[in-house]
Amino acid sequence: GFDLGFDWTMSDTSSLIDVTAATAVTKPLPELRSDMRSLSAWALLDIGDHSSLRFSIEDQQLDTDDFALDNTVPATLANVLTLGQSAANYEVILLMGSYTYRF
């Protein structure tokens, strides 16, 4: 037999953090944002009674904004341990192939 398929995933998130203190005036922290898109397609081909080939491709993108990570170098904030790393952002295309033998 022969099978085709695809998957589409989309996720857009944003978060607001509001800190309340009884003894001090506080402001909400900056917004956290994350946008992820993923598209994959695959084909499965039976090449005998017990074996098959599968080929797939996946394209994925992630874009994030995180005030606690982006543009924050070590020792930027008093009493806060910052490591100087950036929030995850990437785009990747992955090609895969596999052979399966069923006993």
Side-chain angles (χ1 to χ4, degrees):
F2 183 73
D3 294 323
L4 288 174
F6 74 93
D7 294 310
W8 165 255
T9 304
M10 182 178 82
S11 174
D12 294 328
T13 62
S14 63
S15 301
L16 295 175
I17 302 171
D18 192 0
V19 179
T20 304
T23 59
V25 176
T26 62
K27 295 188 325 185
L29 295 171
E31 180 181 31
L32 302 173
R33 188 188 58 76
S34 176
D35 297 322
M36 193 267 298
R37 305 281 185 277
S38 177
L39 175 63
S40 61
W42 53 269
L44 179 67
L45 174 64
D46 289 332
I47 56 174
D49 291 338
H50 298 282
S51 57
S52 61
L53 292 174
R54 179 183 167 106
F55 299 99
S56 59
I57 184 170
E58 183 168 346
D59 180 18
Q60 190 171 88
Q61 302 168 2
L62 177 67
D63 183 35
T64 60
D65 290 326
D66 185 339
F67 71 90
L69 298 176
D70 293 333
N71 302 317
T72 304
V73 297
T76 299
L77 304 171
N79 300 322
V80 176
L81 178 61
T82 57
L83 303 176
Q85 61 188 5
S86 296
N89 293 295
Y90 64 83
E91 181 173 359
V92 64
I93 296 175
L94 178 63
L95 298 171
M96 297 170 281
S98 64
Y99 170 78
T100 303
Y101 185 83
R102 295 176 297 276
F103 295 96

